[in-house]
Amino acid sequence: MKYLIFGANGQLGSKFIERLTIDNIDYIALNHNDCDITDINSVQKVIKSFKPDFILNCAAYNLVDEAEKSSEIAYKVNQKATQNIAISAKEENAFLVHFSTDYVFDGNKGKLYSEKDITNPINEYGKSKLLGENAIKNILDKYLIFRLSWVYGNGKQNFIYKFNEWSSKNNVLNITEDEYSIPSSTNLIVNAVQKALQKNIFGLYHLVANSYCSRYEWANEIVKIRKMDIKLNPVSIKTFNLPAQRPYNSAMSNELLSNLIGPIPTWQEDLKDFLLKN
Ligand SMILES: NC(=O)c1ccc[n+]([C@@H]2O[C@H](COP(=O)([O-])OP(=O)(O)OC[C@H]3O[C@@H](n4cnc5c(N)ncnc54)[C@H](OP(=O)(O)O)[C@@H]3O)[C@@H](O)[C@H]2O)c1
């Protein structure tokens, strides 16, 4: 079995590289310089020449606030390029695994979101990711789309990295208490994807840890596990006056997926495991 990874330098892409290397699985991993996925000719060329059995599309435009101002690039990468990959996967009969987001929801449900819930993104990033999902559904009969949330791993574009940076410069931090979702490590995500592929399942699934929290609760758990000497102030997200609106509570249920692949750890267990190793 051969794997092709797009987004090799990203936090999820690099975790897949680590795992496939350990498992001695044949793969090719491409970063933005190797292949710009917004260019269909480049995508077709690599897929045609490598002939992968599986494509893991970990590439995306993830800058939620910047996407409000420069939405064109968000749609180019999250919608158009996803369509490019789906078309090319179909041509070469490769199975596509793609990643989406909890930001396809507006956050007003008041309960965990299931795969059957109606989407209603409230920012450009969420809208562009939803159009990416739809492109895949329109082109391919069989695929895996995993909606993720609050992803962290070895990279800089995540809350844990930023929290470490802020706490190295400040003893008091203001953290939002009115933003709820589910932190999930790249390790947890890769474990679940591998199990899903072994089970030969397809379709759209919510892939998150168990249980949910506010960002303030997440930060408190980091402080507790790391035994940090720092004070956290719970504040409203309105304090930060961010360009992009965020869903108030976009926490998703992983029930559909965990019924098929087995239990998924809680976000607290997952976080502890990550912090002890990093
Ligand atoms: N991070 C989160 O909290 C979060 C939450 C929910 C869902 N997700 C989804 O999870 C998936 C993985 O996210 P992640 O956190 O691993 O992302 P990431 O660390 O930001 O990595 C994304 C990668 O995509 C590459 N990329 C961007 N435009 C490209 C292009 N035109 N051609 C080729 N590569 C391009 C980037 O390369 P350059 O930097 O060189 O452009 C980057 O290495 C994404 O689908 C994301 O939408 C993430």
Side-chain angles (χ1 to χ4, degrees), residues 7-13 31-32 35-38 57-62 77 99-102 125 129 148-151 157:
N9 289 351
Q11 47 179 356
L12 185 56
N31 64 31
H32 199 154
C35 176
D36 181 347
I37 58 170
T38 63
N57 180 26
C58 304
Y61 185 85
N62 284 326
V77 179
F99 300 94
S100 189
T101 172
D102 56 332
Y125 166 74
K129 292 291 290 183
L148 314 176
S149 68
W150 286 357
V151 178
Q157 197 46 42

Side-chain angles (χ1 to χ4, degrees), residues 98-121:
H98 178 75
F99 300 94
S100 189
T101 172
D102 56 332
Y103 281 15
V104 296
F105 296 114
D106 61 21
N108 297 327
K109 184 180 176 188
K111 281 194 226 159
L112 295 180
Y113 280 98
S114 86
E115 289 80 352
K116 286 189 183 140
D117 282 320
I118 293 169
T119 52
N120 182 30

Side-chain angles (χ1 to χ4, degrees), residues 163 171-175 216 219-221 223 230-234:
F163 186 77
N171 292 326
V172 181
L173 291 176
N174 294 336
I175 308 289
Y216 175 71
N220 263 303
E221 195 70 16
V223 168
I230 187 166
K231 179 170 166 29
L232 302 180
N233 282 332

Side-chain angles (χ1 to χ4, degrees), residues 133-167:
E133 289 184 5
N134 292 341
I136 292 175
K137 290 178 188 170
N138 288 336
I139 294 163
L140 297 169
D141 299 326
K142 284 191 180 177
Y143 51 80
L144 271 169
I145 299 174
F146 293 108
R147 288 191 184 134
L148 314 176
S149 68
W150 286 357
V151 178
Y152 63 90
N154 296 323
K156 296 186 178 180
Q157 197 46 42
N158 67 66
F159 179 68
I160 297 188
Y161 181 85
K162 288 176 191 165
F163 186 77
N164 284 341
E165 290 285 292
W166 300 329
S167 58

Side-chain angles (χ1 to χ4, degrees), residues 111-268:
K111 281 194 226 159
L112 295 180
Y113 280 98
S114 86
E115 289 80 352
K116 286 189 183 140
D117 282 320
I118 293 169
T119 52
N120 182 30
I122 56 172
N123 56 41
E124 296 298 323
Y125 166 74
K127 288 175 192 167
S128 67
K129 292 291 290 183
L130 180 60
L131 289 172
E133 289 184 5
N134 292 341
I136 292 175
K137 290 178 188 170
N138 288 336
I139 294 163
L140 297 169
D141 299 326
K142 284 191 180 177
Y143 51 80
L144 271 169
I145 299 174
F146 293 108
R147 288 191 184 134
L148 314 176
S149 68
W150 286 357
V151 178
Y152 63 90
N154 296 323
K156 296 186 178 180
Q157 197 46 42
N158 67 66
F159 179 68
I160 297 188
Y161 181 85
K162 288 176 191 165
F163 186 77
N164 284 341
E165 290 285 292
W166 300 329
S167 58
S168 66
K169 294 174 194 129
N170 302 285
N171 292 326
V172 181
L173 291 176
N174 294 336
I175 308 289
T176 54
E177 61 168 348
D178 51 1
E179 208 192 341
Y180 285 82
S181 193
I182 307 177
S184 306
S185 75
T186 53
N187 185 52
L188 177 143
I189 295 164
V190 170
N191 284 344
V193 171
Q194 286 194 315
K195 285 181 190 162
L197 289 174
Q198 281 159 10
K199 297 263 177 195
N200 291 320
I201 62 171
F202 53 88
L204 183 146
Y205 297 92
H206 292 170
L207 197 181
V208 285
N210 265 325
S211 190
Y212 66 93
C213 61
S214 67
R215 215 178 266 279
Y216 175 71
E217 289 166 331
W218 185 9
N220 263 303
E221 195 70 16
I222 299 171
V223 168
K224 192 176 96 186
I225 295 169
R226 283 235 162 107
K227 299 185 174 63
M228 295 164 83
D229 186 16
I230 187 166
K231 179 170 166 29
L232 302 180
N233 282 332
V235 296
S236 168
I237 191 156
K238 290 181 189 130
T239 322
F240 299 108
N241 207 12
L242 297 167
Q245 210 190 330
R246 266 79 170 166
Y248 161 67
N249 182 353
S250 51
M252 303 182 292
S253 164
N254 66 23
E255 194 181 345
L256 189 65
L257 183 62
S258 56
N259 281 343
L260 294 168
I261 66 165
I264 298 177
T266 64
W267 68 265
Q268 295 96 327

